[in-house]
Amino acid sequence: MAYIQSFRAAETVTGSCHLLHLKKGPKILIDCGYFQGRDEMRILEPFDFDPKQVDILLITHAHLDHIGRIPKLVKEGFDGRVIALRATMDLAEVILIDSAKIAEEDYKSALKKAKRSGQEKSLRPPVYSIDDAKAVFDLSIQYACYNKAIQLVPGVKVSFRNAGHILGSATIQIEFTEEGLSKSVVFSGDLGSRKDLIMPAPSFVKRADALYIESTYGDRDHRCLQETVDEFKESIINTLENQGNVLIPSFAIERTQEILLILKQMYYNKELPVCKVFLDSPMAIRATQIYTNYHGELNASANKQLLRDGAIFNFPYLQYSLKDKDSMLINKEESGCIIIAGSGMCTGGRILHHFKHRLWDPRNSILFVGYQVLGTQGRQMIDGIESIQLYHENIRVNAKIHMINGFSAHADQSDLLAWMEEFEKLDKVFLIHGEPDKQAIFTKAIKERLHNPVHIVKYSEKIYI
Ligand SMILES: [Zn+2]
């Protein structure tokens, strides 16, 4: 009998990795993600399966917590076929190679210091190199199209549907026949909200004998998107009018493009004070270009910008800081800047040097526009830490800290339930990609509204289909 094992994103939100063992047929891995926050060190643990034995890797989308362990998978012997949307692979290339580059550079400079103090032995090299990341794109890659089934082997097919989460994101349905019975397993991937600034609403699936659904926000509904956008605009306008600067730690994919879209709309609506907007992240600049390349997969409101002036995201105040020297030049600006830089959770990247120069000044604002995992510097600031250590300096946190809740690339409870209601036949529901307390609330909501059996998937347990 076929079964699935989840090697993380089981009772957690990161490290997504699910292995489908068919009785006869290929071994199919769905996602192979990185760990973040408290679980980060798990990356050092070996895989719970032999990467050489995996035949096919299906990728739901290009977020690091779904693709970040693929270079490690390849390094340890995976040589099978990869299937994903073309946009996903374009984004994955940027994310994996850039993150490997950053890790290598950080390691080199840390090694230099460690050698001086004689502590180089305690230093851990990056988990994968730039070459390891590049090797992923030498694999046999097959590009999927939404709503067109791919025959993997006779009797086993896979379909990708738009999950509305980020560009290229997909819900994956695997259909197979076993002992004369046809079965359908669906992995929701990360699902988007029905109302998103850039992405269309998620597409529906008709049938699932087993639905593996994400439950990140299964316990609640997001606040109204318009309220969120209004709060964001107000914080920007107030800071700029008070001669301050706005720092926005942002994720390279999706959130950055949403922020740019809002700023562009503010510009054309004459709501944005005269300012300089710096997109100070090579990764986000490249991702923004990829979003533009696949504009046909974005929603009507994003495409409206294209009709306005021939660009989705560009507007006259926006400058791209690709090189390090461009990033450093921003430090000379006294006031009137909006700086969008990574990393989204302030665990590294250029946002840190902007913090060093601007956190102490009460005229400035830090706008958090994304979830900050426990244990990250971003989360500490939201929780009210008075000073942080940066580049061996103690920096006081005097800038105003705003956590703008409500931006989310994830479906909330109402979105998830409404999506599930569209199934014509839905049997068992399995919860993944969520924290246990939230999953308990979501379980109750599903049972009350849909009356399906629900199971919270545990790490490595075998679920027979
Ligand atoms: Zn995601």
mmCIF file of all heavy atoms in Angstrom, residues 62-64 67 90-103 128 250-254 256-257 260 279-291 320-324 340-344 348-350:
data_model
loop_
_atom_site.group_PDB
_atom_site.id
_atom_site.type_symbol
_atom_site.label_atom_id
_atom_site.label_comp_id
_atom_site.label_asym_id
_atom_site.label_seq_id
_atom_site.Cartn_x
_atom_site.Cartn_y
_atom_site.Cartn_z
ATOM 1 N N ALA A 62 8.990 28.392 -4.611
ATOM 2 C CA ALA A 62 10.419 28.693 -4.437
ATOM 3 C C ALA A 62 10.794 29.329 -3.098
ATOM 4 O O ALA A 62 11.872 29.896 -2.973
ATOM 5 C CB ALA A 62 10.899 29.585 -5.585
ATOM 6 N N HIS A 63 9.948 29.249 -2.086
ATOM 7 C CA HIS A 63 10.380 29.741 -0.772
ATOM 8 C C HIS A 63 11.445 28.797 -0.201
ATOM 9 O O HIS A 63 11.354 27.579 -0.367
ATOM 10 C CB HIS A 63 9.198 29.826 0.195
ATOM 11 C CG HIS A 63 8.483 31.143 0.143
ATOM 12 N ND1 HIS A 63 7.141 31.270 0.377
ATOM 13 C CD2 HIS A 63 8.943 32.397 -0.122
ATOM 14 C CE1 HIS A 63 6.803 32.549 0.268
ATOM 15 N NE2 HIS A 63 7.879 33.243 -0.047
ATOM 16 N N LEU A 64 12.392 29.404 0.536
ATOM 17 C CA LEU A 64 13.516 28.629 1.057
ATOM 18 C C LEU A 64 13.077 27.455 1.939
ATOM 19 O O LEU A 64 13.715 26.401 1.939
ATOM 20 C CB LEU A 64 14.446 29.568 1.848
ATOM 21 C CG LEU A 64 15.899 29.162 1.940
ATOM 22 C CD1 LEU A 64 16.537 29.008 0.580
ATOM 23 C CD2 LEU A 64 16.688 30.162 2.774
ATOM 24 N N ILE A 67 12.537 24.749 -0.632
ATOM 25 C CA ILE A 67 13.583 24.359 -1.599
ATOM 26 C C ILE A 67 15.001 24.351 -1.018
ATOM 27 O O ILE A 67 15.926 23.864 -1.663
ATOM 28 C CB ILE A 67 13.594 25.299 -2.844
ATOM 29 C CG1 ILE A 67 13.897 26.754 -2.430
ATOM 30 C CG2 ILE A 67 12.298 25.201 -3.624
ATOM 31 C CD1 ILE A 67 14.257 27.658 -3.598
ATOM 32 N N ASP A 90 13.092 29.589 -11.978
ATOM 33 C CA ASP A 90 13.816 30.868 -12.131
ATOM 34 C C ASP A 90 14.041 31.520 -10.766
ATOM 35 O O ASP A 90 15.134 32.003 -10.461
ATOM 36 C CB ASP A 90 13.011 31.832 -13.022
ATOM 37 C CG ASP A 90 13.122 31.477 -14.498
ATOM 38 O OD1 ASP A 90 13.762 30.464 -14.818
ATOM 39 O OD2 ASP A 90 12.571 32.235 -15.335
ATOM 40 N N LEU A 91 12.996 31.531 -9.951
ATOM 41 C CA LEU A 91 13.133 32.125 -8.611
ATOM 42 C C LEU A 91 14.075 31.293 -7.751
ATOM 43 O O LEU A 91 14.913 31.828 -7.018
ATOM 44 C CB LEU A 91 11.763 32.230 -7.923
ATOM 45 C CG LEU A 91 10.805 33.304 -8.463
ATOM 46 C CD1 LEU A 91 9.414 33.137 -7.854
ATOM 47 C CD2 LEU A 91 11.316 34.709 -8.180
ATOM 48 N N ALA A 92 13.959 29.961 -7.868
ATOM 49 C CA ALA A 92 14.801 29.062 -7.064
ATOM 50 C C ALA A 92 16.283 29.290 -7.369
ATOM 51 O O ALA A 92 17.130 29.264 -6.477
ATOM 52 C CB ALA A 92 14.424 27.607 -7.331
ATOM 53 N N GLU A 93 16.579 29.533 -8.636
ATOM 54 C CA GLU A 93 17.980 29.759 -9.037
ATOM 55 C C GLU A 93 18.539 30.996 -8.324
ATOM 56 O O GLU A 93 19.642 30.986 -7.794
ATOM 57 C CB GLU A 93 18.046 29.932 -10.556
ATOM 58 C CG GLU A 93 19.455 29.829 -11.081
ATOM 59 C CD GLU A 93 19.514 29.623 -12.587
ATOM 60 O OE1 GLU A 93 18.467 29.694 -13.255
ATOM 61 O OE2 GLU A 93 20.628 29.403 -13.085
ATOM 62 N N VAL A 94 17.742 32.049 -8.304
ATOM 63 C CA VAL A 94 18.171 33.278 -7.630
ATOM 64 C C VAL A 94 18.337 33.030 -6.137
ATOM 65 O O VAL A 94 19.361 33.366 -5.532
ATOM 66 C CB VAL A 94 17.116 34.405 -7.861
ATOM 67 C CG1 VAL A 94 17.405 35.602 -6.981
ATOM 68 C CG2 VAL A 94 17.093 34.805 -9.328
ATOM 69 N N ILE A 95 17.334 32.414 -5.537
ATOM 70 C CA ILE A 95 17.328 32.212 -4.080
ATOM 71 C C ILE A 95 18.476 31.293 -3.653
ATOM 72 O O ILE A 95 19.229 31.613 -2.729
ATOM 73 C CB ILE A 95 15.981 31.580 -3.624
ATOM 74 C CG1 ILE A 95 14.807 32.500 -3.955
ATOM 75 C CG2 ILE A 95 16.001 31.183 -2.148
ATOM 76 C CD1 ILE A 95 14.771 33.791 -3.224
ATOM 77 N N LEU A 96 18.632 30.160 -4.325
ATOM 78 C CA LEU A 96 19.634 29.185 -3.878
ATOM 79 C C LEU A 96 21.058 29.671 -4.131
ATOM 80 O O LEU A 96 21.924 29.561 -3.265
ATOM 81 C CB LEU A 96 19.409 27.826 -4.558
ATOM 82 C CG LEU A 96 18.135 27.084 -4.146
ATOM 83 C CD1 LEU A 96 17.989 25.794 -4.940
ATOM 84 C CD2 LEU A 96 18.130 26.767 -2.651
ATOM 85 N N ILE A 97 21.286 30.236 -5.312
ATOM 86 C CA ILE A 97 22.661 30.663 -5.616
ATOM 87 C C ILE A 97 23.029 31.893 -4.783
ATOM 88 O O ILE A 97 24.116 31.966 -4.229
ATOM 89 C CB ILE A 97 22.853 30.874 -7.135
ATOM 90 C CG1 ILE A 97 22.712 29.506 -7.834
ATOM 91 C CG2 ILE A 97 24.211 31.511 -7.443
ATOM 92 C CD1 ILE A 97 22.762 29.524 -9.332
ATOM 93 N N ASP A 98 22.105 32.830 -4.667
ATOM 94 C CA ASP A 98 22.402 34.016 -3.857
ATOM 95 C C ASP A 98 22.601 33.661 -2.382
ATOM 96 O O ASP A 98 23.494 34.204 -1.724
ATOM 97 C CB ASP A 98 21.288 35.068 -3.988
ATOM 98 C CG ASP A 98 21.512 35.969 -5.192
ATOM 99 O OD1 ASP A 98 22.195 35.518 -6.129
ATOM 100 O OD2 ASP A 98 21.020 37.112 -5.184
ATOM 101 N N SER A 99 21.765 32.760 -1.870
ATOM 102 C CA SER A 99 21.928 32.447 -0.446
ATOM 103 C C SER A 99 23.241 31.687 -0.219
ATOM 104 O O SER A 99 23.906 31.886 0.802
ATOM 105 C CB SER A 99 20.719 31.704 0.132
ATOM 106 O OG SER A 99 20.488 30.530 -0.578
ATOM 107 N N ALA A 100 23.642 30.871 -1.194
ATOM 108 C CA ALA A 100 24.931 30.176 -1.071
ATOM 109 C C ALA A 100 26.083 31.191 -1.116
ATOM 110 O O ALA A 100 27.061 31.076 -0.371
ATOM 111 C CB ALA A 100 25.086 29.159 -2.200
ATOM 112 N N LYS A 101 25.912 32.196 -1.979
ATOM 113 C CA LYS A 101 26.947 33.225 -2.116
ATOM 114 C C LYS A 101 27.106 34.013 -0.804
ATOM 115 O O LYS A 101 28.214 34.224 -0.320
ATOM 116 C CB LYS A 101 26.531 34.185 -3.245
ATOM 117 C CG LYS A 101 27.663 34.842 -3.948
ATOM 118 C CD LYS A 101 27.158 35.534 -5.193
ATOM 119 C CE LYS A 101 27.812 36.876 -5.307
ATOM 120 N NZ LYS A 101 27.160 37.759 -6.240
ATOM 121 N N ILE A 102 25.976 34.401 -0.245
ATOM 122 C CA ILE A 102 26.012 35.151 1.022
ATOM 123 C C ILE A 102 26.666 34.301 2.107
ATOM 124 O O ILE A 102 27.543 34.776 2.838
ATOM 125 C CB ILE A 102 24.575 35.564 1.443
ATOM 126 C CG1 ILE A 102 24.024 36.612 0.463
ATOM 127 C CG2 ILE A 102 24.554 36.111 2.871
ATOM 128 C CD1 ILE A 102 22.527 36.850 0.560
ATOM 129 N N ALA A 103 26.280 33.014 2.178
ATOM 130 C CA ALA A 103 26.838 32.130 3.208
ATOM 131 C C ALA A 103 28.344 31.977 3.022
ATOM 132 O O ALA A 103 29.108 31.988 3.984
ATOM 133 C CB ALA A 103 26.146 30.772 3.157
ATOM 134 N N TYR A 128 25.961 24.296 2.070
ATOM 135 C CA TYR A 128 26.217 24.021 0.658
ATOM 136 C C TYR A 128 26.903 25.213 0.001
ATOM 137 O O TYR A 128 26.744 26.348 0.425
ATOM 138 C CB TYR A 128 24.948 23.618 -0.098
ATOM 139 C CG TYR A 128 23.802 24.596 -0.043
ATOM 140 C CD1 TYR A 128 23.714 25.639 -0.953
ATOM 141 C CD2 TYR A 128 22.785 24.459 0.889
ATOM 142 C CE1 TYR A 128 22.652 26.516 -0.927
ATOM 143 C CE2 TYR A 128 21.718 25.334 0.928
ATOM 144 C CZ TYR A 128 21.649 26.359 0.019
ATOM 145 O OH TYR A 128 20.605 27.235 0.050
ATOM 146 N N SER A 250 12.613 43.122 4.258
ATOM 147 C CA SER A 250 11.599 42.463 3.431
ATOM 148 C C SER A 250 12.118 41.190 2.785
ATOM 149 O O SER A 250 13.287 41.076 2.446
ATOM 150 C CB SER A 250 11.126 43.425 2.349
ATOM 151 O OG SER A 250 10.057 42.862 1.636
ATOM 152 N N PHE A 251 11.218 40.246 2.621
ATOM 153 C CA PHE A 251 11.539 39.015 1.913
ATOM 154 C C PHE A 251 11.643 39.330 0.427
ATOM 155 O O PHE A 251 10.864 40.123 -0.101
ATOM 156 C CB PHE A 251 10.466 37.965 2.180
ATOM 157 C CG PHE A 251 10.318 37.662 3.640
ATOM 158 C CD1 PHE A 251 9.303 38.220 4.389
ATOM 159 C CD2 PHE A 251 11.243 36.853 4.284
ATOM 160 C CE1 PHE A 251 9.194 37.966 5.747
ATOM 161 C CE2 PHE A 251 11.149 36.597 5.641
ATOM 162 C CZ PHE A 251 10.115 37.159 6.372
ATOM 163 N N ALA A 252 12.616 38.688 -0.225
ATOM 164 C CA ALA A 252 12.899 39.027 -1.627
ATOM 165 C C ALA A 252 11.744 38.688 -2.548
ATOM 166 O O ALA A 252 11.508 39.358 -3.542
ATOM 167 C CB ALA A 252 14.159 38.288 -2.076
ATOM 168 N N ILE A 253 11.033 37.627 -2.198
ATOM 169 C CA ILE A 253 9.951 37.171 -3.075
ATOM 170 C C ILE A 253 8.612 37.577 -2.497
ATOM 171 O O ILE A 253 8.361 37.384 -1.307
ATOM 172 C CB ILE A 253 9.968 35.636 -3.208
ATOM 173 C CG1 ILE A 253 11.305 35.162 -3.739
ATOM 174 C CG2 ILE A 253 8.871 35.147 -4.117
ATOM 175 C CD1 ILE A 253 11.384 33.662 -3.896
ATOM 176 N N GLU A 254 7.786 38.119 -3.322
ATOM 177 C CA GLU A 254 6.393 38.447 -3.046
ATOM 178 C C GLU A 254 6.205 39.692 -2.170
ATOM 179 O O GLU A 254 5.592 40.646 -2.602
ATOM 180 C CB GLU A 254 5.651 37.242 -2.431
ATOM 181 C CG GLU A 254 4.151 37.439 -2.312
ATOM 182 C CD GLU A 254 3.373 37.290 -3.611
ATOM 183 O OE1 GLU A 254 3.971 36.908 -4.626
ATOM 184 O OE2 GLU A 254 2.161 37.578 -3.611
ATOM 185 N N THR A 256 8.335 41.984 -1.135
ATOM 186 C CA THR A 256 8.992 43.143 -1.745
ATOM 187 C C THR A 256 8.168 43.663 -2.907
ATOM 188 O O THR A 256 7.939 44.873 -3.034
ATOM 189 C CB THR A 256 10.413 42.760 -2.236
ATOM 190 O OG1 THR A 256 11.219 42.527 -1.095
ATOM 191 C CG2 THR A 256 11.034 43.861 -3.081
ATOM 192 N N GLN A 257 7.679 42.781 -3.743
ATOM 193 C CA GLN A 257 6.901 43.222 -4.921
ATOM 194 C C GLN A 257 5.579 43.854 -4.468
ATOM 195 O O GLN A 257 5.125 44.827 -5.065
ATOM 196 C CB GLN A 257 6.653 42.044 -5.876
ATOM 197 C CG GLN A 257 7.913 41.539 -6.582
ATOM 198 C CD GLN A 257 8.821 40.714 -5.693
ATOM 199 O OE1 GLN A 257 8.357 39.963 -4.846
ATOM 200 N NE2 GLN A 257 10.132 40.830 -5.866
ATOM 201 N N LEU A 260 6.462 47.360 -3.284
ATOM 202 C CA LEU A 260 6.730 48.244 -4.431
ATOM 203 C C LEU A 260 5.428 48.659 -5.114
ATOM 204 O O LEU A 260 5.265 49.818 -5.515
ATOM 205 C CB LEU A 260 7.649 47.550 -5.450
ATOM 206 C CG LEU A 260 9.090 47.304 -5.011
ATOM 207 C CD1 LEU A 260 9.857 46.573 -6.111
ATOM 208 C CD2 LEU A 260 9.802 48.619 -4.679
ATOM 209 N N LEU A 279 15.609 49.991 -3.383
ATOM 210 C CA LEU A 279 15.474 48.536 -3.267
ATOM 211 C C LEU A 279 16.900 48.022 -3.167
ATOM 212 O O LEU A 279 17.635 47.951 -4.160
ATOM 213 C CB LEU A 279 14.727 47.936 -4.467
ATOM 214 C CG LEU A 279 14.551 46.415 -4.413
ATOM 215 C CD1 LEU A 279 13.896 45.970 -3.110
ATOM 216 C CD2 LEU A 279 13.734 45.910 -5.587
ATOM 217 N N ASP A 280 17.311 47.742 -1.917
ATOM 218 C CA ASP A 280 18.714 47.456 -1.627
ATOM 219 C C ASP A 280 18.917 45.959 -1.378
ATOM 220 O O ASP A 280 19.309 45.550 -0.291
ATOM 221 C CB ASP A 280 19.149 48.281 -0.401
ATOM 222 C CG ASP A 280 20.645 48.164 -0.170
ATOM 223 O OD1 ASP A 280 21.374 47.831 -1.130
ATOM 224 O OD2 ASP A 280 21.086 48.384 0.975
ATOM 225 N N SER A 281 18.609 45.185 -2.375
ATOM 226 C CA SER A 281 18.758 43.736 -2.244
ATOM 227 C C SER A 281 18.886 43.121 -3.628
ATOM 228 O O SER A 281 17.923 43.110 -4.394
ATOM 229 C CB SER A 281 17.527 43.162 -1.535
ATOM 230 O OG SER A 281 17.386 41.797 -1.827
ATOM 231 N N PRO A 282 20.087 42.636 -3.982
ATOM 232 C CA PRO A 282 20.250 42.029 -5.314
ATOM 233 C C PRO A 282 19.252 40.904 -5.554
ATOM 234 O O PRO A 282 18.709 40.759 -6.642
ATOM 235 C CB PRO A 282 21.687 41.491 -5.286
ATOM 236 C CG PRO A 282 22.380 42.286 -4.243
ATOM 237 C CD PRO A 282 21.342 42.636 -3.217
ATOM 238 N N MET A 283 18.981 40.133 -4.483
ATOM 239 C CA MET A 283 18.057 39.005 -4.635
ATOM 240 C C MET A 283 16.647 39.512 -4.956
ATOM 241 O O MET A 283 15.978 39.009 -5.858
ATOM 242 C CB MET A 283 18.036 38.213 -3.317
ATOM 243 C CG MET A 283 17.665 36.766 -3.497
ATOM 244 S SD MET A 283 17.365 35.955 -1.916
ATOM 245 C CE MET A 283 18.989 35.569 -1.362
ATOM 246 N N ALA A 284 16.227 40.548 -4.245
ATOM 247 C CA ALA A 284 14.876 41.091 -4.480
ATOM 248 C C ALA A 284 14.788 41.779 -5.841
ATOM 249 O O ALA A 284 13.749 41.716 -6.502
ATOM 250 C CB ALA A 284 14.512 42.068 -3.367
ATOM 251 N N ILE A 285 15.881 42.391 -6.273
ATOM 252 C CA ILE A 285 15.879 43.050 -7.594
ATOM 253 C C ILE A 285 15.690 41.995 -8.680
ATOM 254 O O ILE A 285 14.873 42.153 -9.587
ATOM 255 C CB ILE A 285 17.196 43.841 -7.810
ATOM 256 C CG1 ILE A 285 17.266 45.025 -6.842
ATOM 257 C CG2 ILE A 285 17.320 44.323 -9.265
ATOM 258 C CD1 ILE A 285 18.622 45.705 -6.768
ATOM 259 N N ARG A 286 16.420 40.885 -8.535
ATOM 260 C CA ARG A 286 16.275 39.819 -9.548
ATOM 261 C C ARG A 286 14.891 39.190 -9.487
ATOM 262 O O ARG A 286 14.282 38.909 -10.520
ATOM 263 C CB ARG A 286 17.358 38.756 -9.350
ATOM 264 C CG ARG A 286 18.715 39.310 -9.705
ATOM 265 C CD ARG A 286 19.787 38.239 -9.802
ATOM 266 N NE ARG A 286 21.074 38.898 -9.900
ATOM 267 C CZ ARG A 286 21.946 38.981 -8.898
ATOM 268 N NH1 ARG A 286 21.693 38.439 -7.738
ATOM 269 N NH2 ARG A 286 23.083 39.617 -9.053
ATOM 270 N N ALA A 287 14.392 38.985 -8.280
ATOM 271 C CA ALA A 287 13.051 38.388 -8.142
ATOM 272 C C ALA A 287 12.001 39.312 -8.764
ATOM 273 O O ALA A 287 11.078 38.846 -9.437
ATOM 274 C CB ALA A 287 12.734 38.142 -6.670
ATOM 275 N N THR A 288 12.172 40.614 -8.590
ATOM 276 C CA THR A 288 11.221 41.574 -9.154
ATOM 277 C C THR A 288 11.221 41.483 -10.678
ATOM 278 O O THR A 288 10.167 41.537 -11.323
ATOM 279 C CB THR A 288 11.579 43.007 -8.683
ATOM 280 O OG1 THR A 288 11.571 43.011 -7.251
ATOM 281 C CG2 THR A 288 10.599 44.039 -9.195
ATOM 282 N N GLN A 289 12.400 41.279 -11.237
ATOM 283 C CA GLN A 289 12.500 41.122 -12.696
ATOM 284 C C GLN A 289 11.764 39.853 -13.156
ATOM 285 O O GLN A 289 11.058 39.857 -14.167
ATOM 286 C CB GLN A 289 13.993 41.066 -13.109
ATOM 287 C CG GLN A 289 14.211 41.070 -14.600
ATOM 288 C CD GLN A 289 13.588 42.301 -15.266
ATOM 289 O OE1 GLN A 289 13.852 43.419 -14.864
ATOM 290 N NE2 GLN A 289 12.719 42.098 -16.257
ATOM 291 N N ILE A 290 11.925 38.791 -12.375
ATOM 292 C CA ILE A 290 11.250 37.523 -12.739
ATOM 293 C C ILE A 290 9.730 37.695 -12.642
ATOM 294 O O ILE A 290 8.989 37.210 -13.502
ATOM 295 C CB ILE A 290 11.759 36.362 -11.849
ATOM 296 C CG1 ILE A 290 13.252 36.115 -12.131
ATOM 297 C CG2 ILE A 290 10.962 35.089 -12.081
ATOM 298 C CD1 ILE A 290 13.949 35.189 -11.155
ATOM 299 N N TYR A 291 9.269 38.395 -11.630
ATOM 300 C CA TYR A 291 7.825 38.667 -11.522
ATOM 301 C C TYR A 291 7.341 39.400 -12.776
ATOM 302 O O TYR A 291 6.274 39.112 -13.305
ATOM 303 C CB TYR A 291 7.523 39.511 -10.276
ATOM 304 C CG TYR A 291 7.118 38.684 -9.078
ATOM 305 C CD1 TYR A 291 8.050 37.896 -8.412
ATOM 306 C CD2 TYR A 291 5.800 38.673 -8.621
ATOM 307 C CE1 TYR A 291 7.676 37.135 -7.320
ATOM 308 C CE2 TYR A 291 5.424 37.908 -7.536
ATOM 309 C CZ TYR A 291 6.371 37.135 -6.881
ATOM 310 O OH TYR A 291 5.995 36.366 -5.811
ATOM 311 N N TYR A 320 17.436 51.060 -7.779
ATOM 312 C CA TYR A 320 17.920 49.715 -7.446
ATOM 313 C C TYR A 320 19.380 49.792 -6.996
ATOM 314 O O TYR A 320 20.205 50.406 -7.677
ATOM 315 C CB TYR A 320 17.840 48.798 -8.670
ATOM 316 C CG TYR A 320 16.427 48.477 -9.113
ATOM 317 C CD1 TYR A 320 16.035 48.640 -10.438
ATOM 318 C CD2 TYR A 320 15.492 47.995 -8.211
ATOM 319 C CE1 TYR A 320 14.744 48.326 -10.855
ATOM 320 C CE2 TYR A 320 14.200 47.685 -8.609
ATOM 321 C CZ TYR A 320 13.832 47.849 -9.920
ATOM 322 O OH TYR A 320 12.562 47.546 -10.320
ATOM 323 N N SER A 321 19.692 49.191 -5.857
ATOM 324 C CA SER A 321 21.084 49.153 -5.373
ATOM 325 C C SER A 321 21.595 47.734 -5.522
ATOM 326 O O SER A 321 21.421 46.898 -4.633
ATOM 327 C CB SER A 321 21.146 49.556 -3.897
ATOM 328 O OG SER A 321 20.523 50.778 -3.712
ATOM 329 N N LEU A 322 22.212 47.503 -6.662
ATOM 330 C CA LEU A 322 22.648 46.142 -6.954
ATOM 331 C C LEU A 322 23.996 45.837 -6.290
ATOM 332 O O LEU A 322 24.188 44.801 -5.678
ATOM 333 C CB LEU A 322 22.726 45.971 -8.475
ATOM 334 C CG LEU A 322 22.510 44.585 -9.047
ATOM 335 C CD1 LEU A 322 21.274 43.909 -8.490
ATOM 336 C CD2 LEU A 322 22.410 44.651 -10.563
ATOM 337 N N LYS A 323 24.920 46.808 -6.416
ATOM 338 C CA LYS A 323 26.284 46.550 -5.921
ATOM 339 C C LYS A 323 26.430 46.991 -4.460
ATOM 340 O O LYS A 323 25.709 47.881 -3.998
ATOM 341 C CB LYS A 323 27.281 47.326 -6.773
ATOM 342 C CG LYS A 323 27.234 46.913 -8.237
ATOM 343 C CD LYS A 323 28.541 47.283 -8.926
ATOM 344 C CE LYS A 323 28.604 46.665 -10.295
ATOM 345 N NZ LYS A 323 28.069 47.547 -11.338
ATOM 346 N N ASP A 324 27.422 46.407 -3.772
ATOM 347 C CA ASP A 324 27.661 46.763 -2.371
ATOM 348 C C ASP A 324 27.943 48.256 -2.216
ATOM 349 O O ASP A 324 27.496 48.885 -1.264
ATOM 350 C CB ASP A 324 28.856 45.968 -1.828
ATOM 351 C CG ASP A 324 28.492 44.521 -1.567
ATOM 352 O OD1 ASP A 324 27.268 44.221 -1.544
ATOM 353 O OD2 ASP A 324 29.403 43.687 -1.408
ATOM 354 N N ILE A 340 14.351 49.389 1.370
ATOM 355 C CA ILE A 340 13.823 48.017 1.428
ATOM 356 C C ILE A 340 15.022 47.089 1.266
ATOM 357 O O ILE A 340 15.728 47.158 0.254
ATOM 358 C CB ILE A 340 12.815 47.763 0.285
ATOM 359 C CG1 ILE A 340 11.705 48.829 0.288
ATOM 360 C CG2 ILE A 340 12.222 46.363 0.380
ATOM 361 C CD1 ILE A 340 10.911 48.896 -1.012
ATOM 362 N N ALA A 341 15.295 46.277 2.268
ATOM 363 C CA ALA A 341 16.477 45.406 2.198
ATOM 364 C C ALA A 341 16.218 44.094 2.917
ATOM 365 O O ALA A 341 15.335 43.991 3.763
ATOM 366 C CB ALA A 341 17.681 46.116 2.821
ATOM 367 N N GLY A 342 17.008 43.076 2.570
ATOM 368 C CA GLY A 342 16.891 41.781 3.221
ATOM 369 C C GLY A 342 17.935 41.662 4.319
ATOM 370 O O GLY A 342 18.798 42.527 4.449
ATOM 371 N N SER A 343 17.884 40.674 5.158
ATOM 372 C CA SER A 343 16.910 39.603 5.041
ATOM 373 C C SER A 343 15.606 39.962 5.754
ATOM 374 O O SER A 343 15.607 40.817 6.645
ATOM 375 C CB SER A 343 17.477 38.313 5.641
ATOM 376 O OG SER A 343 17.585 38.415 7.027
ATOM 377 N N GLY A 344 14.569 39.281 5.352
ATOM 378 C CA GLY A 344 13.236 39.576 5.871
ATOM 379 C C GLY A 344 13.112 39.443 7.375
ATOM 380 O O GLY A 344 12.298 40.104 7.994
ATOM 381 N N GLY A 348 20.521 38.452 8.612
ATOM 382 C CA GLY A 348 21.730 38.737 7.843
ATOM 383 C C GLY A 348 21.368 39.752 6.781
ATOM 384 O O GLY A 348 20.306 40.367 6.835
ATOM 385 N N GLY A 349 22.279 39.925 5.812
ATOM 386 C CA GLY A 349 21.964 40.802 4.686
ATOM 387 C C GLY A 349 22.190 42.279 4.981
ATOM 388 O O GLY A 349 22.626 42.670 6.055
ATOM 389 N N ARG A 350 21.873 43.093 3.978
ATOM 390 C CA ARG A 350 22.174 44.524 4.044
ATOM 391 C C ARG A 350 21.330 45.289 5.058
ATOM 392 O O ARG A 350 21.707 46.375 5.475
ATOM 393 C CB ARG A 350 21.988 45.141 2.659
ATOM 394 C CG ARG A 350 23.015 44.652 1.660
ATOM 395 C CD ARG A 350 22.773 45.316 0.319
ATOM 396 N NE ARG A 350 23.742 44.884 -0.667
ATOM 397 C CZ ARG A 350 23.662 45.215 -1.958
ATOM 398 N NH1 ARG A 350 22.654 45.960 -2.386
ATOM 399 N NH2 ARG A 350 24.572 44.798 -2.808
#
